[in-house]
Amino acid sequence: MATHPVASSSHPVQIPALESPHAEISNGKKPKDKKSKVADGTSHPLELQPRPEFFDHRIKIFQELKAEQDAFIKAQPRGEITVTLPDGSERKGTSWETSPMDIAKEVSKSLSERIVIAKVDGELWDLDRPLEKSVKLELLDFEHPEGKKVFWHSSAHVLGEASERHYGCHLCLGPPTDDGFFYEMGIEDRPVSNTDYPALEKVAESAIKEKQKFERLVVSKEKLLEMFNYNKYKQYLIESKIPDGTSTTVYRCGPMIDLCVGPHIPHTGKIKAFMITKNSASYFLGDPTKESLQRIYGISFPDKKQLAEYKLFLAEAAKRDHRKIGKEQELFFFNDLSPGSCFFLPHGTRIYNTLVELMRVRLPLLLMSATFSFHCSPNISNVDTKKVSNADIIWAHSIALSIVISPNMYNSKLWETSGHWQNYKDDMFVLDVEKEKWALKPMNCPGHCLIFDSRDRSYKELPIRMAEFGIIHRNEASGALTGLTRVRRFVQDDTHVFCMPSQLEEEIGKLFDFMQHIYGLFGFEFRLELSTRPDNYLGTIETWNEAEAQLTKALEQHHPGKWELNPGDGAFYGPKIDITIRDALKRSFQCATIQLDFQLPERFNLKYRAAEDTTDPNRAVSRPVIIHRAILGSLERFIAIITEHFAGKWQVLVIPVANPYKEYASEIANTLNDLGLYADVDNTDNTLQKKIRNGEIAQYNFILVVGQDELDAKSVNVRNRDDVGSKARAQIVPLSEVAEKLVALKKARTLENKLV
């Protein structure tokens, strides 16, 4: 049967932002006649003529309501206010007149030109919006995370305007993202193509040149329904999200008016560089049962140099893309007979098993090793424990895991008990078995609860650190599948710690140590976020408050002042600490998580015999607390991350210069493999230059070249990937010496690729 790769999960990396056509960068010269403009690369006009009727419809209502709002502001009593800056200095102003921009201009002209948004008493605030009372004021520029988010949100509005002017489309949602922004829209008569990018960028550039002011307006629900009566998406959002009798805000820039809480940059002229990066299909509100939309992504900056740097970043990211490296180095592949499920080849399986071994078996020994670092080829060997102290051994035992194996499929009754059926069913693979509903497990915790409850438990057994490297399945949308980073079938380094409440602080502390050691191995920086109670939470607020207080205390004890609050983003069963790592390209990935769970023990009626039970038979049942933890997260995703972090750099390749030396090359590879190293041999009929080039492309750390001289002396010629000077023929080195140094390098686990 002929098969084809699934583009969403296995297609080699593409960078539309670099490969697609774009508008020419303006050089400041006067443009040609605007009336005769036709979009580059397409037969469609640059802008619709006449423009859509809803433009004038919206503007008319906006202007009428804006006049009323301006009159209201003008009628407000004026008074002196005090504006306090972060350094404690104060500025005087007038209520309903003085704006944050006025204060910025008083401080310095350069500050007023650099900032993009204000923060008033902790709330983001438009720079030109008048202050209503005495306040504390912060002024944020693009480099501030919140400033960047606002800048990209405003850029999304510019993209929305360009899309309306070019397509005549009906806009849906246009938020900022971690790396830019997007707008999704309904277009009736044509699909979005990368040939449209130059046209969209030209229209956006014209909006930017006009320095269109972002104007804020409070509008009632009734008037909003009238203003957006042409747009079914906005109608749905207004009806479903805005309570009757209330109001919200819209923002206008040029002819574009959109439902938006804001805030925004002062005007479009703040945007100095703007680029469309890609487009894709999407569903309204992300629901596959709803209408299909088209989504356009973009990026923008307040300086053209930053866009040039971003393009270089994209080019480097393309070189490191794990899908590209995975194909070139034969690590893994995907097939449309099982989309979102990876086929690991021998080299990829080696990495996979090494990570499992690291987390399951080797870590306690690694933590005791005198030398604690990581070689850039993630291969773990035996650790010399001669210098290990008794205290080290006791500590290693204190983090020991109880490895278990649980079923892959459960009756729906289990998921109803756990709460997943009510809160997670749409993301599960549901099966009909003998007239009952079953599901493949999307996580291990309910099964671990059954294991804990399989017999009576005593407080003397706790904590129980139940770990499983089990296969789990999640029903991700096919359009969301992306290489190893978004899959349907994967394995987590999943541990559930069942402990007494009195043990929580110590256990969380050990998990922090554990996490820091692991990420230190790979040279990752990380940051921490506390995600609190979501809207669909289970249990009582009192229980949630207690759990959140416990995690807050742990964070302050181990990482004081180095964590952030992420309100409302906890799991439905408990708050969590999310750990985000940064790779060599300074990209962020959420991998580890530490979650506190008081709900599952209640729902599964888990209990243990406490010491006090013998003296007080009427004492209430003692329930354990569950700590959910994953350090690597999904092994598949972590492999993608480390592949790109290290740019796919692995270990040893042996190359014979000609056919007579193939046997010796194989002998060397076998010798190294017997020592626990990973060595490949290229005994193909390619030329020597071709073999070396292939080895360099495959990113082997060391290429060992052998010929007659090396055979006679039982030696090798070493080429180091990171040492340009070693890439010419160098002095030969005895094989025994090279082997000894390679073993030492592997044991040292240093990030530096050097034989010493």
Side-chain angles (χ1 to χ4, degrees):
M1 179 187 295
T3 60
H4 305 282
V6 179
S8 62
S9 65
S10 64
H11 199 280
V13 63
Q14 295 183 13
I15 311 226
L18 297 182
E19 298 173 355
S20 298
H22 293 279
E24 292 183 7
I25 298 175
S26 173
N27 56 11
K29 294 181 180 179
K30 187 176 180 180
K32 295 179 181 178
D33 182 16
K34 294 181 181 179
K35 294 181 181 179
S36 62
K37 279 188 177 179
V38 175
D40 295 341
T42 177
S43 60
H44 297 284
L46 196 60
E47 296 189 48
L48 291 181
Q49 294 295 338
R51 69 184 189 176
E53 292 181 0
F54 62 77
F55 276 34
D56 293 331
H57 167 76
R58 288 185 314 207
I59 291 172
K60 181 181 178 182
I61 297 174
F62 185 93
Q63 289 176 334
E64 291 172 355
L65 297 177
K66 185 68 164 59
E68 295 176 10
Q69 180 174 284
D70 290 345
F72 169 81
I73 292 174
K74 187 176 181 180
Q76 298 308 301
R78 271 41 175 178
E80 185 177 86
I81 60 173
T82 300
V83 179
T84 305
L85 299 176
D87 63 0
S89 63
E90 295 180 348
R91 302 276 171 163
K92 298 299 181 182
T94 303
S95 61
W96 296 98
E97 283 186 7
T98 302
S99 70
M101 181 59 82
D102 294 327
I103 300 297
K105 288 177 179 177
E106 284 185 23
V107 175
S108 75
K109 181 182 178 182
S110 62
L111 176 65
S112 68
E113 292 173 347
R114 189 177 74 252
I115 57 174
V116 297
I117 200 66
K119 208 168 187 181
V120 174
D121 289 339
E123 177 187 350
L124 290 173
W125 192 276
D126 298 291
L127 284 168
D128 289 329
R129 180 181 170 188
L131 300 170
E132 300 169 12
K133 59 182 179 63
S134 294
V135 297
K136 293 181 179 179
L137 176 66
E138 296 176 69
L139 300 168
L140 312 180
D141 61 14
F142 178 78
E143 298 306 320
H144 190 284
E146 289 181 289
K148 187 170 293 182
K149 184 176 180 180
V150 168
F151 189 91
W152 282 341
H153 187 188
S154 301
S155 301
H157 279 239
V158 173
L159 173 58
E161 176 185 338
S163 300
E164 285 188 335
R165 288 165 62 178
H166 182 65
Y167 298 113
C169 60
H170 289 176
L171 298 176
C172 181
L173 297 172
T177 66
D178 291 338
D179 54 0
F181 50 88
F182 69 78
Y183 230 117
E184 54 186 15
M185 60 204 73
I187 307 175
E188 293 184 358
D189 56 349
R190 58 185 278 209
V192 175
S193 164
N194 66 352
T195 58
D196 299 339
Y197 295 0
L200 292 169
E201 289 170 351
K202 283 185 178 180
V203 179
E205 185 180 7
S206 70
I208 290 168
K209 283 184 176 180
E210 291 171 6
K211 296 185 178 180
Q212 298 170 352
K213 185 178 180 182
F214 279 91
E215 298 178 278
R216 178 181 183 270
L217 179 65
V218 180
V219 184
S220 68
K221 180 174 182 177
E222 181 183 6
K223 280 294 184 180
L224 287 170
L225 290 170
E226 179 185 352
M227 180 180 286
F228 295 101
N229 62 8
Y230 64 92
N231 186 322
K232 60 186 175 184
Y233 312 114
K234 301 296 182 186
Q235 290 275 311
Y236 180 90
L237 294 171
I238 295 166
E239 289 282 16
S240 61
K241 303 294 184 183
I242 303 171
D244 292 340
T246 64
S247 302
T248 191
T249 53
V250 298
Y251 275 81
R252 175 184 179 182
C253 62
M256 194 269 201
I257 301 170
D258 201 10
L259 187 68
C260 180
V261 296
H264 285 283
I265 60 178
H267 59 79
T268 58
K270 287 277 187 181
I271 303 168
K272 302 302 182 185
F274 182 100
M275 183 175 73
I276 308 297
T277 56
K278 61 181 178 179
N279 65 275
S280 68
S282 65
Y283 293 110
F284 181 47
L285 301 181
D287 185 346
T289 65
K290 297 189 185 299
E291 190 170 337
S292 180
L293 302 173
Q294 300 194 63
R295 182 180 290 181
I296 303 174
Y297 294 80
I299 191 77
S300 63
F301 298 97
D303 190 322
K304 290 181 179 179
K305 290 181 181 178
Q306 290 170 299
L307 179 58
E309 292 169 358
Y310 178 74
K311 290 179 178 179
L312 292 175
F313 162 79
L314 288 180
E316 180 61 26
K319 294 177 186 176
R320 291 171 176 257
D321 189 278
H322 72 279
R323 290 165 293 181
K324 175 177 178 288
I325 292 171
K327 180 179 180 181
E328 291 174 349
Q329 300 187 6
E330 296 188 4
L331 303 178
F332 59 84
F333 72 92
F334 290 86
N335 189 284
D336 65 353
L337 295 180
S338 186
S341 300
C342 180
F343 290 78
F344 279 100
L345 298 169
H347 286 315
T349 302
R350 180 191 304 163
I351 300 166
Y352 190 99
N353 288 338
T354 298
L355 287 173
V356 171
E357 185 183 18
L358 169 67
M359 302 303 293
R360 182 175 63 88
V361 178
R362 299 295 186 189
L363 188 75
L365 292 176
L366 286 172
L367 296 176
M368 293 185 283
S369 177
T371 305
F372 189 72
S373 53
F374 188 76
H375 174 35
C376 60
S377 171
N379 303 313
I380 311 302
S381 63
N382 293 325
V383 176
D384 182 1
T385 59
K386 290 179 181 177
K387 297 183 179 179
V388 177
S389 68
N390 288 333
D392 288 329
I393 294 172
I394 292 169
W395 191 87
H397 282 298
S398 78
I399 65 163
L401 305 177
S402 298
I403 309 296
V404 299
I405 299 174
S406 63
N408 272 17
M409 185 171 69
Y410 293 92
N411 190 288
S412 62
K413 294 183 180 68
L414 175 85
W415 307 114
E416 289 168 3
T417 301
S418 69
H420 288 88
W421 202 252
Q422 302 90 311
N423 293 279
Y424 207 78
K425 181 182 176 184
D426 291 344
D427 296 307
M428 298 166 68
F429 285 101
V430 179
L431 309 170
D432 289 309
V433 180
E434 297 180 345
K435 298 181 180 181
E436 290 193 293
K437 294 291 184 184
W438 294 63
L440 296 178
K441 64 178 179 183
M443 46 200 66
N444 294 306
C445 39
H448 290 186
C449 288
L450 294 184
I451 294 174
F452 182 91
D453 199 40
S454 63
R455 65 170 176 80
D456 287 342
R457 301 286 178 179
S458 165
Y459 74 97
K460 295 178 180 179
E461 297 177 71
L462 304 183
I464 296 172
R465 304 178 188 90
M466 203 176 293
E468 179 170 8
F469 298 87
I471 297 168
I472 57 182
H473 289 82
R474 295 182 184 173
N475 191 10
E476 300 283 358
S478 59
L481 301 177
T482 310
L484 291 175
T485 59
R486 197 75 175 266
V487 291
R488 288 174 172 166
R489 182 265 190 207
F490 58 97
V491 170
Q492 283 186 317
D493 63 314
D494 217 358
T495 295
H496 296 98
V497 181
F498 296 82
C499 64
M500 295 184 287
S502 60
Q503 296 171 322
L504 275 174
E505 187 174 329
E506 181 181 1
E507 286 300 307
I508 293 174
K510 289 176 182 177
L511 291 178
F512 278 135
D513 291 341
F514 194 17
M515 175 193 71
Q516 199 148 354
H517 283 308
I518 286 291
Y519 289 157
L521 284 174
F522 295 93
F524 286 132
E525 302 172 357
F526 63 88
R527 61 183 179 84
L528 304 153
E529 285 185 343
L530 173 59
S531 298
T532 57
R533 186 178 69 249
D535 293 336
N536 64 333
Y537 70 93
L538 299 178
T540 66
I541 290 180
E542 291 75 19
T543 300
W544 274 84
N545 289 342
E546 180 184 352
E548 290 173 5
Q550 289 270 13
L551 291 183
T552 300
K553 181 180 178 182
L555 284 166
E556 278 302 308
Q557 181 177 347
H558 294 274
H559 299 278
K562 297 179 181 179
W563 59 277
E564 297 177 2
L565 191 65
N566 185 18
D569 201 35
F572 65 85
Y573 50 79
K576 60 180 180 173
I577 298 171
D578 287 325
I579 297 94
T580 303
I581 62 175
R582 297 184 75 194
D583 71 1
L585 294 181
K586 303 301 181 184
R587 298 172 300 183
S588 295
F589 302 92
Q590 198 266 306
C591 287
T593 185
I594 298 172
Q595 302 175 4
L596 208 52
D597 189 349
F598 290 86
Q599 308 303 327
L600 285 183
E602 289 279 353
R603 297 177 76 90
F604 281 90
N605 193 28
L606 303 184
K607 50 191 178 293
Y608 62 90
R609 287 180 284 104
E612 297 81 3
D613 291 348
T614 56
T615 58
D616 184 4
N618 298 318
R619 187 174 177 274
V621 121
S622 297
R623 296 207 188 280
V625 181
I626 299 176
I627 305 172
H628 304 248
R629 84 100 173 106
I631 303 299
L632 305 183
S634 154
L635 263 69
E636 284 78 358
R637 189 163 182 262
F638 196 77
I639 287 171
I641 293 168
I642 62 172
T643 299
E644 297 184 5
H645 181 60
F646 294 114
K649 295 167 182 172
W650 314 117
Q651 210 163 59
V652 179
L653 176 66
V654 187
I655 296 176
V657 300
N659 286 340
Y661 313 108
K662 287 182 177 181
E663 184 178 345
Y664 180 50
S666 297
E667 179 186 328
I668 292 172
N670 291 335
T671 298
L672 297 178
N673 287 329
D674 289 343
L675 292 170
L677 301 165
Y678 292 109
D680 297 317
V681 59
D682 186 348
N683 273 338
T684 65
D685 292 328
N686 289 328
T687 64
L688 175 62
Q689 289 74 16
K690 178 68 173 176
K691 291 179 181 180
I692 291 174
R693 178 59 180 157
N694 288 344
E696 290 175 342
I697 291 173
Q699 295 288 307
Y700 282 92
N701 288 338
F702 300 98
I703 297 176
L704 309 183
V705 182
V706 295
Q708 188 63 50
D709 290 345
E710 288 78 15
L711 174 60
D712 293 341
K714 291 296 180 184
S715 60
V716 294
N717 192 287
V718 181
R719 296 168 63 97
N720 186 329
R721 181 198 72 223
D722 295 333
D723 184 357
V724 176
S726 73
K727 293 186 179 181
R729 192 174 191 281
Q731 184 177 0
I732 60 176
V733 184
L735 175 60
S736 58
E737 180 182 335
V738 169
E740 182 181 348
K741 289 182 176 180
L742 285 170
V743 169
L745 177 61
K746 184 178 179 182
K747 285 186 176 181
R749 292 175 181 82
T750 175
L751 293 173
E752 186 179 8
N753 189 54
K754 193 173 183 180
L755 295 180
V756 291

